[in-house]
Amino acid sequence: MKKDDSIKFLQGNEACALGGITAGARFFAGYPISPASEIAELSSLLLPQRGGIYLQMEDEIASIAAVIGASLGGMKAFTSTSGPGLSLMQENIGFAIMAEAPCVIINVQRFGPSTGVATRPGQADVMAARWGTHGDHGIIVLAPTSVQECYDLTIEAFNLAEALRTPVILLTDATLAHLREKVVTKTDKELSIISRQKPHQVTGDYQPYRPGPNGVPVLPDFGDQNILRITGLVHDHDGYSTPKPQTAGDLVHRLLQKIEGATGLMPTPRYFGSNDPEIVIISFGISARSSREAVNRANDQGVKARLMQLPTIWPFPEEAVRNACSDAKAVLVAEMNSGQICREVRACGIQREKVVGVNRADTAVITPGEILQAIKEVMIL
Amino acid sequence: MSIDYSLYLAKERLPHLWCPGCGHGIILKNMLISMAEMEVPREKALLACGIGCSGRAGDYVNIHRFQGTHGRTLAYVTGIKMAHPELKTFCIMGDGDCSAIGIGHLIHAARRNVDVTAIVPNNLNYGMTGGQFPPLTPGESLTSTSRSGKAEPDMDLCRLAAEAGANYVARTTVYHVVEMKKRFIEATSNKGFSLVEVITPCPTYYGRYNQLGNAHEMIEWIKNKTVPLHKYEEMSVKNQEQHFWRGKLVEKHKPDLYTRYWQHERGMDHRA
Ligand SMILES: Cc1ncc(C[n+]2csc(CCOP(=O)(O)OP(=O)(O)O)c2C)c(N)n1
Ligand code: SF4
């Protein structure tokens, strides 16, 4: 029997590296950190074999800077890190947003704040990923729940980054990073891989930053015949800096709109369990794994429960959350932090008393039993 | 000269925003002239700038231009050069940008021998933010954050870059314009990491705080403070503290990062 090469047994970190390379990434720059290091290690091995580059930089600030540089040179580029490194990258994440440099940042969440517990999971970087750079900005953040999704969503992250010319953050965690599971891989030909648009000809009146389709500019790469002008300063359609209020306002509005207007391209929530639920559980990442099991057990015990798993955390899928929760008696939000997504669910306008957090923030993975217990408690109320 | 340097200039962007008597324009012009003499095609030239008055140079060119965050220029260009090794890359980074917030990246870009020409306009202070003291400000100088004289000693960025592994290191001044252009050409022709520090006047802040007179007088002051490297080396330490050296410190020909990377990876025999 012929061996099926597409089926692999991988760690989450390996799946991220493979997903990135399948999506066309040919540049990785990083700095070692637990529990993310295997992404760098596998990239260092595989990229040169494909004509790609692996650089080990002096810190995470340099890592994301090199990634942005390579991206502007036309390479699909990524980095991986964990909490402390994400904190160091924040200024340059804002720069990548402003400069419209497509790139992917894989943040393998560990317990924090600060050095925390380097080898144990957490899900407390939800807000750091959303707001961790100054100024008004939009950001795309995806969160896989399985090793398969580590692979699939890394590819999605690259597609979104390239389509919208923006950084995309993938939030995994220490558990997924080292979990080994079956992964069905695909070749780039079997997938729809998106690459950034490039301007066709050199024309006299070419204005690189004139918004193209969906507000995304069609920019050349460094080294192209068309000249690329990049700056983190407010810039006009030619790419020259200006402090004009009109230009500043238009630019920031376009950058926000570009993300908000593209939610149709992003992975949509996945639902498991009862179609007519009394209890809705909202969760993401590794917590959604436990939630799924809790929902199965609840359903077996005659409680109509349903899981809404969020592969896209930011932009927050407000409308879908509202729709999913409208008829539920209670909404539980299961996450390994002290309530970061829970706040967002409440902010969607769902009755405050209806929304209950199921939180665990002590380095351990939240268990199906804990979530089931929480379901039972709200059923009694 | 076969190319007119003004072809690289975004003339429609002029006049520039620099103060009268600022040296940044002189440095930019010399950079463009050196490019013209080397006949660098427009689309194969990149100017990557730091944040500061000197960083605004990027707004006056029509070659590829990059401006990132404060201090990080060399980290970005490390990525750019791995994607496009053929780009003639000039980095203009203020002394504050390069010697304070960005010094880690300077050391590592020199160590990796990234093929760029780093130009450091050293105006002895943070110009853009109002004349505070960065590491290269001479001891005892008056600045907006050292009103009774800078207590910390200064440092020699050129020697640091040389020690870190740069292929080419030189220092010159805005007074020595012919030499400046020559250094830029030598630096760019030498593949690998090159650094040229250019002492330059900031009459608005450093000059004013230290009562060095008008722009013209400040250039005279720089000229009088500067001695050739071999003379400097013969001076007493006390005398050295009163002077800047100028000249060529290092000229080596080690392979640059890109070359080494692929020599190594091809040696591993897994690249088609
Ligand atoms: C992270 C960060 N910190 C501080 C600043 C503020 N800042 C802008 S320009 C500058 C100093 C520039 O001085 P220098 O590099 O010497 O260049 P010059 O203006 O003198 O040409 C500083 C500190 C900044 N932009 N970013
Ligand atoms: S403040 Fe100093 S460095 Fe800045 S433009 Fe004016 S003279 Fe030049």
Side-chain angles (χ1 to χ4, degrees):
Chain A
M1 210 176 79
K2 199 173 161 279
K3 201 167 120 240
D4 185 351
D5 281 342
S6 67
I7 297 177
K8 296 191 165 35
F9 188 55
L10 298 174
Q11 275 191 345
N13 277 346
E14 292 168 346
C16 287
L18 271 188
I21 292 169
T22 306
R26 289 297 176 269
F27 187 94
F28 181 101
Y31 187 85
I33 188 166
S34 297
S37 295
E38 293 86 355
I39 303 177
E41 288 167 2
L42 193 59
S43 299
S44 77
L45 185 71
L46 296 183
L47 282 171
Q49 298 172 9
R50 288 158 176 76
I53 307 282
Y54 168 83
L55 285 185
Q56 196 158 293
M57 298 303 288
E58 52 271 27
D59 55 35
E60 287 84 349
I61 300 175
S63 300
I64 187 162
V67 161
I68 292 168
S71 169
L72 295 171
M75 289 175 122
K76 290 190 185 179
F78 67 143
T79 182
S80 62
T81 189
S82 189
L86 183 70
S87 293
L88 285 186
M89 288 182 186
Q90 295 190 343
E91 186 191 15
N92 271 336
I93 291 174
F95 173 74
I97 292 170
M98 190 68 148
E100 301 182 72
C103 56
V104 171
I105 299 138
I106 299 168
N107 180 47
V108 184
Q109 294 171 102
R110 65 192 226 184
F111 191 81
S114 190
T115 311
V117 182
T119 54
R120 304 290 302 164
Q123 291 186 313
D125 297 350
V126 171
M127 289 297 170
R130 173 62 188 92
W131 296 112
T133 195
H134 61 278
D136 264 337
H137 65 278
I139 187 97
I140 302 171
V141 179
L142 307 182
T145 293
S146 62
V147 176
Q148 179 71 51
E149 283 186 13
C150 285
Y151 177 80
D152 296 339
L153 290 187
T154 304
I155 296 171
E156 273 312 309
F158 269 100
N159 280 349
L160 289 165
E162 291 284 319
L164 300 173
R165 293 204 66 112
T166 193
V168 175
I169 299 176
L170 190 80
L171 280 188
T172 75
D173 72 86
T175 310
L176 269 180
H178 296 141
L179 187 67
R180 268 187 197 281
E181 291 186 300
K182 173 181 153 182
V183 177
V184 182
T185 60
K186 293 204 170 118
T187 63
D188 53 350
K189 291 182 189 67
E190 299 168 285
L191 292 158
S192 43
I193 298 292
I194 299 174
S195 299
R196 66 193 78 171
Q197 301 261 320
K198 296 235 281 165
H200 294 298
Q201 312 146 280
V202 200
T203 53
D205 61 353
Y206 168 65
Q207 287 191 301
Y209 289 91
R210 200 186 305 138
N214 306 319
V216 184
V218 181
L219 298 180
D221 297 329
F222 285 131
D224 283 356
Q225 216 41 41
N226 289 310
I227 295 299
L228 180 61
R229 284 184 202 99
I230 290 289
T231 177
L233 289 162
V234 165
H235 44 276
D236 58 22
H237 286 177
D238 289 313
Y240 288 113
S241 60
T242 166
K244 282 194 196 123
Q246 177 82 37
T247 313
D250 289 352
L251 175 60
V252 169
H253 178 74
R254 177 173 68 74
L255 292 176
L256 286 167
Q257 241 347 87
K258 181 174 86 166
I259 307 293
E260 292 296 332
T263 48
L265 300 177
M266 298 169 203
T268 48
R270 298 181 64 192
Y271 301 92
F272 302 92
S274 167
N275 283 327
D276 153 39
E278 288 176 276
I279 308 282
V280 170
I281 303 183
I282 298 178
S283 191
F284 68 99
I286 194 72
S287 299
R289 268 312 250 286
S290 300
S291 303
R292 206 168 146 183
E293 174 61 18
V295 160
N296 287 342
R297 289 188 202 168
N299 287 344
D300 287 348
Q301 296 174 22
V303 179
K304 288 198 277 180
R306 185 184 211 196
L307 168 65
M308 178 189 204
Q309 177 205 322
L310 309 180
T312 302
I313 305 185
W314 303 113
F316 195 71
E318 285 183 33
E319 209 181 300
V321 167
R322 261 196 302 273
N323 290 340
C325 299
S326 58
D327 296 328
K329 184 175 160 212
V331 177
L332 301 186
V333 184
E335 50 187 333
M336 282 142 60
N337 61 49
S338 49
Q340 299 189 15
I341 290 286
C342 193
R343 266 176 90 105
E344 262 343 275
V345 172
R346 290 194 173 121
C348 290
I350 295 159
Q351 230 182 329
R352 222 191 133 76
E353 311 76 66
K354 231 166 86 166
V355 184
V356 180
V358 187
N359 308 101
R360 178 149 196 177
D362 67 351
T363 80
V365 175
I366 195 164
T367 64
E370 285 170 77
I371 300 165
L372 186 63
Q373 182 62 31
I375 295 174
K376 287 181 177 164
E377 278 165 20
V378 294
M379 284 302 287
I380 301 166
L381 292 179
Chain B
M1 197 202 304
S2 48
I3 301 183
D4 175 1
Y5 84 91
S6 69
L7 287 177
Y8 303 116
L9 201 61
K11 289 185 217 90
E12 70 281 11
R13 306 294 304 175
L14 298 173
H16 57 65
L17 55 52
W18 294 310
C19 308
C22 178
H24 290 333
I26 302 172
I27 296 171
L28 177 62
K29 178 173 174 179
N30 271 272
M31 188 201 98
L32 298 180
I33 292 177
S34 71
M35 276 172 52
E37 291 201 6
M38 291 182 286
E39 299 183 18
V40 182
R42 232 185 101 218
E43 69 282 0
K44 290 298 158 204
L46 169 68
L47 174 58
C49 292
I51 300 285
C53 296
S54 47
R56 291 305 183 93
D59 262 356
Y60 310 115
V61 297
N62 62 19
I63 58 177
H64 287 286
R65 181 284 290 277
F66 176 85
Q67 184 182 34
T69 50
H70 189 36
R72 316 296 171 196
T73 309
L74 293 170
Y76 298 105
V77 297
T78 303
I80 298 175
K81 284 292 296 201
M82 292 309 270
H84 282 282
E86 80 289 0
L87 279 176
K88 287 268 183 240
T89 302
F90 300 83
C91 303
I92 296 188
M93 300 166 292
D95 56 308
D97 188 282
C98 189
S99 78
I101 193 165
I103 197 155
H105 308 306
L106 170 75
I107 293 170
H108 293 287
R111 172 181 66 80
R112 293 189 178 101
N113 210 14
V114 182
D115 176 33
V116 299
T117 300
I119 297 173
V120 181
N122 179 4
N123 59 10
L124 312 174
N125 67 181
Y126 291 105
M128 183 63 102
T129 43
Q132 303 82 3
F133 65 87
L136 300 194
T137 304
E140 298 305 326
S141 296
L142 301 175
T143 71
S144 63
T145 45
S146 61
R147 303 284 176 145
S148 52
K150 184 190 176 212
E152 295 177 12
D154 59 10
M155 64 183 286
D156 190 327
L157 195 70
C158 289
R159 287 187 199 276
L160 182 82
E163 192 59 36
N167 255 0
Y168 179 96
V169 180
R171 187 192 284 152
T172 182
T173 85
V174 157
Y175 177 85
H176 301 87
V177 276
V178 178
E179 181 184 86
M180 190 195 322
K181 186 190 77 185
K182 188 171 132 212
R183 296 294 180 225
F184 288 169
I185 292 175
E186 284 174 355
T188 312
S189 313
N190 192 339
K191 206 173 162 125
F193 190 82
S194 303
L195 182 134
V196 184
E197 179 182 331
V198 187
I199 315 267
T200 182
C202 172
T204 304
Y205 293 116
Y206 192 83
R208 185 158 55 84
Y209 280 117
N210 293 284
Q211 300 183 340
L212 301 176
N214 62 25
H216 168 80
E217 287 162 337
M218 209 185 156
I219 291 191
E220 282 290 324
W221 175 82
I222 289 173
K223 174 195 157 199
N224 295 333
K225 275 265 178 192
T226 308
V227 296
L229 182 57
H230 63 272
K231 279 209 178 128
Y232 182 87
E233 276 167 351
E234 286 157 12
M235 283 178 162
S236 68
V237 175
K238 225 176 151 57
N239 207 2
Q240 280 179 345
E241 280 168 8
Q242 300 305 313
H243 290 87
F244 303 114
W245 61 262
R246 58 168 244 277
K248 193 171 11 179
L249 189 64
V250 176
E251 195 166 24
K252 295 186 290 199
H253 300 283
K254 293 179 305 173
D256 73 308
L257 173 68
Y258 185 85
T259 308
R260 283 187 64 139
Y261 182 87
W262 282 119
Q263 265 171 2
H264 182 80
E265 292 295 347
R266 283 206 191 89
M268 300 310 285
D269 202 25
H270 56 212
R271 198 195 180 206

